[in-house]
Amino acid sequence: MIRVLVAEDHTIVREGIKQLIGLAKDLCVAGEAANGEQLLEALRSTPCEVVLLDISMPGVNGLEAIPRIRALNNPPAVLVLSMHDEAQMAARALKIGAAGYATKDSDPALLLTAIRKVASGGRYIDPELADRMVFEVGLTDSRPAHTSLSEREFSVFERLVRGEGVNEIAQQLAVSSKTVSTHKARLMQKLGLHSVADLVKYAVEHKLL
């Protein structure tokens, strides 16, 4: 039996995923989490073979959680399930340790296949994304500006476009407000933008929000 821990902050989506997994005779839901902190806490006491991980969660987001999961003793495979159907996002997740990347508009049967594949030590990429990754990710001239952001800068970017303030972000990331302001200034410079409104517009245009 393949045990799956579902990390997803939207209750309706999480319940739907649990029902889908429940239909498969060789899969079961070992636990669930609504944010990154709950996920990391659950992993301390919940044995599982696969973590089904949403990228955009409050607190510790999916991209920040992946290296922490991989650092555990006998870590489970991480299968990202994201609303982002962007090749750059998939490449970023795989680079830092995810075993697979599926999108939320994937065929349900493909999601179950993906869970089985990463549980057995394999890797999985959403078929529609795979071709785009081959052609987009390696072509530096066509890479969007946000791919140059560091992991921490990207985390700050994600939180800013969700409407969080500098002090709130600092508290969540356990750093000073000054550090967050520095990251904010750097990412603004890298993206060539000048306001949070510009960031939100950029995020919408690149399907990051």
Side-chain angles (χ1 to χ4, degrees):
M1 183 70 73
I2 299 170
R3 297 166 294 184
V4 184
L5 200 158
V6 180
E8 162 64 56
D9 62 323
H10 292 97
T11 304
I12 292 176
V13 177
R14 192 169 66 248
E15 291 301 318
I17 292 170
K18 287 163 57 183
Q19 287 184 21
L20 175 64
I21 292 172
L23 296 174
K25 294 180 180 179
D26 58 333
L27 307 178
C28 70
V29 177
E32 60 185 285
N35 57 54
E37 287 84 357
Q38 286 183 12
L39 167 62
L40 295 170
E41 183 65 33
L43 284 171
R44 295 189 182 98
S45 57
T46 308
C48 61
E49 283 71 48
V50 177
V51 171
L52 194 58
L53 179 64
D54 181 25
I55 280 186
S56 301
M57 291 189 297
V60 177
N61 66 29
L63 286 177
E64 293 166 340
I66 292 170
R68 299 195 196 183
I69 296 170
R70 300 304 301 158
L72 298 171
N73 290 326
N74 195 25
V78 177
L79 175 61
V80 173
L81 182 63
S82 174
M83 62 177 284
H84 305 301
D85 64 346
E86 196 205 40
Q88 302 291 345
M89 184 73 77
R92 188 184 285 264
L94 295 168
K95 182 179 179 182
I96 59 176
Y101 193 100
T103 58
K104 289 182 180 176
D105 57 0
S106 296
D107 183 294
L110 281 180
L111 179 59
L112 297 179
T113 297
I115 291 172
R116 295 183 182 107
K117 190 166 183 180
V118 300
S120 65
R123 294 171 76 82
Y124 177 88
I125 302 172
D126 184 285
E128 291 186 13
L129 268 178
D131 287 342
R132 284 163 50 198
M133 284 181 69
V134 170
F135 290 105
E136 289 180 23
V137 176
L139 302 176
T140 54
D141 291 344
S142 64
R143 290 172 64 187
H146 64 268
T147 60
S148 67
L149 300 180
S150 68
E151 296 304 329
R152 182 46 60 91
E153 287 167 352
F154 191 80
S155 295
V156 172
F157 166 79
E158 269 205 319
R159 288 173 165 82
L160 287 169
V161 299
R162 287 205 303 259
E164 298 176 17
V166 168
N167 292 336
E168 186 179 358
I169 296 170
Q171 189 173 12
Q172 288 190 357
L173 298 180
V175 297
S176 69
S177 297
K178 184 178 179 181
T179 297
V180 173
S181 295
T182 299
H183 288 312
K184 179 181 177 182
R186 285 178 182 164
L187 72 89
M188 289 277 199
Q189 184 178 23
K190 287 182 178 181
L191 298 178
L193 304 175
H194 306 286
S195 68
V196 172
D198 290 340
L199 288 180
V200 172
K201 183 180 177 183
Y202 181 97
V204 170
E205 288 174 350
H206 290 82
K207 299 181 180 179
L208 299 173
L209 185 62

